[in-house]
Short mmCIF file of all heavy atoms in Angstrom, two decimals:
data_model
loop_
_atom_site.label_atom_id
_atom_site.label_comp_id
_atom_site.label_asym_id
_atom_site.label_seq_id
_atom_site.Cartn_x
_atom_site.Cartn_y
_atom_site.Cartn_z
N TYR X 70 17.53 6.62 -10.41
CA TYR X 70 16.49 5.90 -9.67
C TYR X 70 15.16 6.08 -10.40
O TYR X 70 14.89 7.13 -10.99
CB TYR X 70 16.34 6.45 -8.26
CG TYR X 70 17.56 6.31 -7.38
CD1 TYR X 70 18.47 7.35 -7.25
CD2 TYR X 70 17.81 5.13 -6.68
CE1 TYR X 70 19.60 7.23 -6.44
CE2 TYR X 70 18.93 4.99 -5.87
CZ TYR X 70 19.82 6.05 -5.76
OH TYR X 70 20.93 5.92 -4.96
N ILE X 93 18.18 1.89 -10.47
CA ILE X 93 17.59 1.22 -9.30
C ILE X 93 16.12 1.60 -9.25
O ILE X 93 15.77 2.79 -9.21
CB ILE X 93 18.32 1.62 -8.01
CG1 ILE X 93 19.79 1.22 -8.10
CG2 ILE X 93 17.66 0.96 -6.80
CD1 ILE X 93 20.63 1.68 -6.91
N VAL X 94 15.26 0.59 -9.25
CA VAL X 94 13.82 0.80 -9.36
C VAL X 94 13.11 0.43 -8.07
O VAL X 94 13.39 -0.62 -7.47
CB VAL X 94 13.24 -0.05 -10.52
CG1 VAL X 94 11.73 0.17 -10.62
CG2 VAL X 94 13.93 0.30 -11.84
N VAL X 95 12.19 1.30 -7.65
CA VAL X 95 11.22 0.97 -6.61
C VAL X 95 9.87 0.85 -7.31
O VAL X 95 9.34 1.84 -7.82
CB VAL X 95 11.16 2.04 -5.50
CG1 VAL X 95 10.16 1.62 -4.42
CG2 VAL X 95 12.53 2.28 -4.91
N ASP X 106 14.49 -12.88 -5.39
CA ASP X 106 15.63 -11.97 -5.42
C ASP X 106 15.22 -10.50 -5.33
O ASP X 106 16.07 -9.61 -5.46
CB ASP X 106 16.45 -12.18 -6.70
CG ASP X 106 17.13 -13.55 -6.72
OD1 ASP X 106 17.50 -14.02 -5.63
OD2 ASP X 106 17.25 -14.13 -7.81
N VAL X 107 13.94 -10.23 -5.13
CA VAL X 107 13.44 -8.85 -5.07
C VAL X 107 12.95 -8.56 -3.65
O VAL X 107 11.96 -9.16 -3.20
CB VAL X 107 12.29 -8.64 -6.07
CG1 VAL X 107 11.73 -7.21 -5.95
CG2 VAL X 107 12.78 -8.89 -7.49
N PRO X 108 13.60 -7.67 -2.91
CA PRO X 108 13.12 -7.31 -1.57
C PRO X 108 11.72 -6.67 -1.65
O PRO X 108 11.43 -5.90 -2.56
CB PRO X 108 14.15 -6.30 -1.07
CG PRO X 108 15.35 -6.51 -1.93
CD PRO X 108 14.84 -6.97 -3.26
N LEU X 109 10.89 -7.03 -0.69
CA LEU X 109 9.55 -6.47 -0.55
C LEU X 109 9.54 -5.72 0.77
O LEU X 109 9.68 -6.33 1.83
CB LEU X 109 8.51 -7.59 -0.56
CG LEU X 109 7.03 -7.20 -0.52
CD1 LEU X 109 6.63 -6.44 -1.78
CD2 LEU X 109 6.15 -8.44 -0.36
N VAL X 110 9.38 -4.39 0.73
CA VAL X 110 9.79 -3.59 1.89
C VAL X 110 8.72 -2.62 2.36
O VAL X 110 8.07 -1.92 1.57
CB VAL X 110 11.07 -2.79 1.53
CG1 VAL X 110 11.46 -1.84 2.66
CG2 VAL X 110 12.23 -3.75 1.24
N ILE X 111 8.55 -2.60 3.68
CA ILE X 111 7.86 -1.52 4.39
C ILE X 111 8.91 -0.92 5.32
O ILE X 111 9.38 -1.60 6.24
CB ILE X 111 6.66 -2.04 5.20
CG1 ILE X 111 5.64 -2.74 4.29
CG2 ILE X 111 5.98 -0.90 5.95
CD1 ILE X 111 4.52 -3.44 5.03
N PRO X 112 9.33 0.33 5.09
CA PRO X 112 10.48 0.86 5.84
C PRO X 112 10.33 0.85 7.35
O PRO X 112 11.34 0.75 8.06
CB PRO X 112 10.61 2.29 5.29
CG PRO X 112 10.10 2.19 3.89
CD PRO X 112 8.94 1.23 3.98
N GLU X 113 9.13 0.92 7.87
CA GLU X 113 8.94 0.84 9.32
C GLU X 113 9.18 -0.57 9.86
O GLU X 113 9.29 -0.77 11.07
CB GLU X 113 7.52 1.29 9.71
CG GLU X 113 7.23 2.76 9.50
CD GLU X 113 6.72 3.08 8.11
OE1 GLU X 113 6.85 2.21 7.20
OE2 GLU X 113 6.19 4.17 7.90
N ASN X 115 10.94 -3.62 7.75
CA ASN X 115 12.12 -4.38 7.29
C ASN X 115 13.03 -3.55 6.38
O ASN X 115 13.36 -3.99 5.27
CB ASN X 115 11.67 -5.66 6.59
CG ASN X 115 10.82 -5.41 5.34
OD1 ASN X 115 10.08 -4.43 5.27
ND2 ASN X 115 10.94 -6.29 4.37
N PRO X 116 13.47 -2.38 6.83
CA PRO X 116 14.35 -1.55 5.97
C PRO X 116 15.66 -2.23 5.63
O PRO X 116 16.27 -1.95 4.58
CB PRO X 116 14.57 -0.28 6.81
CG PRO X 116 14.37 -0.72 8.22
CD PRO X 116 13.28 -1.76 8.16
N GLU X 117 16.11 -3.14 6.49
CA GLU X 117 17.38 -3.82 6.24
C GLU X 117 17.35 -4.67 4.97
O GLU X 117 18.39 -4.93 4.35
CB GLU X 117 17.77 -4.70 7.44
CG GLU X 117 16.84 -5.87 7.72
CD GLU X 117 15.56 -5.49 8.46
OE1 GLU X 117 15.40 -4.31 8.84
OE2 GLU X 117 14.72 -6.39 8.66
N ASP X 118 16.14 -5.09 4.55
CA ASP X 118 16.04 -5.90 3.34
C ASP X 118 16.40 -5.12 2.08
O ASP X 118 16.72 -5.71 1.04
CB ASP X 118 14.63 -6.47 3.21
CG ASP X 118 14.34 -7.59 4.19
OD1 ASP X 118 15.28 -7.99 4.92
OD2 ASP X 118 13.19 -8.05 4.27
N ILE X 119 16.31 -3.79 2.15
CA ILE X 119 16.62 -2.97 0.98
C ILE X 119 18.04 -3.27 0.48
O ILE X 119 18.30 -3.29 -0.73
CB ILE X 119 16.48 -1.47 1.32
CG1 ILE X 119 15.00 -1.13 1.60
CG2 ILE X 119 17.01 -0.59 0.20
CD1 ILE X 119 14.78 0.28 2.13
N GLN X 120 18.95 -3.51 1.40
CA GLN X 120 20.36 -3.70 1.03
C GLN X 120 20.59 -4.97 0.24
O GLN X 120 21.66 -5.15 -0.35
CB GLN X 120 21.23 -3.70 2.30
CG GLN X 120 21.08 -2.46 3.15
CD GLN X 120 21.23 -1.16 2.36
OE1 GLN X 120 22.11 -1.05 1.51
NE2 GLN X 120 20.38 -0.19 2.63
N ASN X 121 19.59 -5.84 0.17
CA ASN X 121 19.73 -7.09 -0.58
C ASN X 121 19.26 -6.96 -2.03
O ASN X 121 19.12 -7.97 -2.73
CB ASN X 121 18.94 -8.21 0.10
CG ASN X 121 19.41 -8.46 1.52
OD1 ASN X 121 20.60 -8.38 1.80
ND2 ASN X 121 18.48 -8.74 2.42
N HIS X 122 19.01 -5.75 -2.48
CA HIS X 122 18.44 -5.57 -3.81
C HIS X 122 19.47 -5.83 -4.91
O HIS X 122 20.68 -5.71 -4.71
CB HIS X 122 17.85 -4.17 -3.95
CG HIS X 122 18.86 -3.09 -4.19
ND1 HIS X 122 19.36 -2.81 -5.45
CD2 HIS X 122 19.47 -2.21 -3.35
CE1 HIS X 122 20.22 -1.83 -5.37
NE2 HIS X 122 20.32 -1.44 -4.11
N HIS X 123 18.94 -6.16 -6.09
CA HIS X 123 19.76 -6.32 -7.29
C HIS X 123 19.25 -5.36 -8.37
O HIS X 123 19.12 -5.74 -9.53
CB HIS X 123 19.70 -7.77 -7.79
CG HIS X 123 20.19 -8.77 -6.79
ND1 HIS X 123 21.53 -9.01 -6.55
CD2 HIS X 123 19.50 -9.55 -5.91
CE1 HIS X 123 21.66 -9.92 -5.60
NE2 HIS X 123 20.45 -10.27 -5.19
N GLY X 124 18.96 -4.14 -7.94
CA GLY X 124 18.46 -3.14 -8.85
C GLY X 124 16.96 -2.95 -8.81
O GLY X 124 16.43 -2.07 -9.51
N LEU X 125 16.26 -3.75 -8.00
CA LEU X 125 14.81 -3.65 -7.93
C LEU X 125 14.32 -3.93 -6.52
O LEU X 125 14.70 -4.94 -5.91
CB LEU X 125 14.18 -4.66 -8.91
CG LEU X 125 12.66 -4.83 -8.88
CD1 LEU X 125 11.95 -3.51 -9.17
CD2 LEU X 125 12.23 -5.90 -9.89
N ILE X 126 13.49 -3.03 -5.99
CA ILE X 126 12.80 -3.23 -4.71
C ILE X 126 11.31 -3.09 -4.98
O ILE X 126 10.88 -2.18 -5.70
CB ILE X 126 13.24 -2.19 -3.65
CG1 ILE X 126 14.74 -2.28 -3.39
CG2 ILE X 126 12.48 -2.41 -2.35
CD1 ILE X 126 15.53 -1.20 -4.07
N ALA X 127 10.51 -3.99 -4.43
CA ALA X 127 9.08 -3.97 -4.65
C ALA X 127 8.35 -3.28 -3.50
O ALA X 127 8.72 -3.45 -2.33
CB ALA X 127 8.55 -5.39 -4.84
N HIS X 221 9.28 -12.42 7.11
CA HIS X 221 10.16 -13.59 7.07
C HIS X 221 9.57 -14.72 7.94
O HIS X 221 10.26 -15.31 8.78
CB HIS X 221 11.57 -13.23 7.54
CG HIS X 221 12.22 -12.16 6.72
ND1 HIS X 221 12.77 -12.41 5.48
CD2 HIS X 221 12.38 -10.83 6.94
CE1 HIS X 221 13.25 -11.28 4.98
NE2 HIS X 221 13.03 -10.31 5.84
N ASN X 323 5.16 5.07 0.72
CA ASN X 323 6.02 3.93 1.04
C ASN X 323 7.15 3.81 0.03
O ASN X 323 8.31 3.56 0.39
CB ASN X 323 5.19 2.64 1.07
CG ASN X 323 5.89 1.52 1.81
OD1 ASN X 323 5.90 1.47 3.04
ND2 ASN X 323 6.50 0.60 1.06
N ALA X 324 6.85 4.03 -1.26
CA ALA X 324 7.88 3.96 -2.29
C ALA X 324 8.92 5.05 -2.11
O ALA X 324 10.13 4.81 -2.25
CB ALA X 324 7.23 4.06 -3.67
N VAL X 325 8.48 6.26 -1.79
CA VAL X 325 9.41 7.37 -1.60
C VAL X 325 10.26 7.15 -0.36
O VAL X 325 11.46 7.47 -0.33
CB VAL X 325 8.66 8.72 -1.55
CG1 VAL X 325 9.60 9.85 -1.17
CG2 VAL X 325 8.02 9.02 -2.90
N GLN X 326 9.68 6.56 0.69
CA GLN X 326 10.46 6.23 1.89
C GLN X 326 11.57 5.23 1.54
O GLN X 326 12.70 5.34 2.04
CB GLN X 326 9.55 5.63 2.96
CG GLN X 326 8.65 6.63 3.66
CD GLN X 326 7.72 5.93 4.64
OE1 GLN X 326 6.92 5.08 4.26
NE2 GLN X 326 7.84 6.27 5.91
N ILE X 327 11.25 4.24 0.70
CA ILE X 327 12.26 3.28 0.28
C ILE X 327 13.36 4.00 -0.51
O ILE X 327 14.56 3.76 -0.30
CB ILE X 327 11.63 2.17 -0.59
CG1 ILE X 327 10.68 1.30 0.24
CG2 ILE X 327 12.72 1.28 -1.22
CD1 ILE X 327 9.85 0.33 -0.57
N LEU X 328 12.97 4.90 -1.40
CA LEU X 328 13.93 5.67 -2.16
C LEU X 328 14.85 6.47 -1.24
O LEU X 328 16.07 6.52 -1.44
CB LEU X 328 13.20 6.61 -3.13
CG LEU X 328 14.08 7.58 -3.93
CD1 LEU X 328 15.05 6.83 -4.83
CD2 LEU X 328 13.22 8.55 -4.73
N GLN X 329 14.27 7.08 -0.21
CA GLN X 329 15.09 7.84 0.74
C GLN X 329 16.10 6.95 1.46
O GLN X 329 17.25 7.35 1.69
CB GLN X 329 14.19 8.55 1.76
CG GLN X 329 13.40 9.70 1.17
CD GLN X 329 12.51 10.38 2.20
OE1 GLN X 329 11.57 9.77 2.72
NE2 GLN X 329 12.82 11.63 2.51
N GLU X 330 15.70 5.74 1.80
CA GLU X 330 16.63 4.79 2.41
C GLU X 330 17.75 4.44 1.44
O GLU X 330 18.92 4.32 1.82
CB GLU X 330 15.89 3.53 2.85
CG GLU X 330 14.91 3.72 4.00
CD GLU X 330 15.63 3.94 5.33
OE1 GLU X 330 16.77 3.47 5.49
OE2 GLU X 330 15.03 4.60 6.21
N LEU X 331 17.42 4.26 0.17
CA LEU X 331 18.43 3.96 -0.84
C LEU X 331 19.44 5.09 -0.98
O LEU X 331 20.65 4.86 -1.06
CB LEU X 331 17.75 3.72 -2.19
CG LEU X 331 17.07 2.37 -2.41
CD1 LEU X 331 16.16 2.44 -3.62
CD2 LEU X 331 18.11 1.27 -2.60
N ILE X 332 18.94 6.31 -1.01
CA ILE X 332 19.81 7.47 -1.18
C ILE X 332 20.73 7.63 0.03
O ILE X 332 21.90 7.98 -0.12
CB ILE X 332 18.96 8.74 -1.41
CG1 ILE X 332 18.24 8.65 -2.76
CG2 ILE X 332 19.82 9.98 -1.36
CD1 ILE X 332 17.22 9.74 -2.99
N LYS X 333 20.21 7.33 1.22
CA LYS X 333 21.05 7.43 2.42
C LYS X 333 22.24 6.49 2.35
O LYS X 333 23.33 6.79 2.83
CB LYS X 333 20.23 7.12 3.69
CG LYS X 333 19.35 8.25 4.14
CD LYS X 333 18.88 8.05 5.58
CE LYS X 333 18.01 6.84 5.76
NZ LYS X 333 17.45 6.77 7.14
#
Side-chain angles (χ1 to χ4, degrees):
Y70 298 96
I93 299 175
V94 179
V95 182
D106 293 327
V107 177
L109 185 64
V110 174
I111 301 172
E113 292 88 345
N115 61 329
E117 65 281 355
D118 287 355
I119 293 172
Q120 304 309 319
N121 300 323
H122 78 83
H123 301 281
L125 173 59
I126 301 102
H221 301 283
N323 199 79
V325 172
Q326 286 176 300
I327 293 171
L328 176 62
Q329 289 180 295
E330 292 288 334
L331 282 165
I332 292 171
K333 283 196 296 186

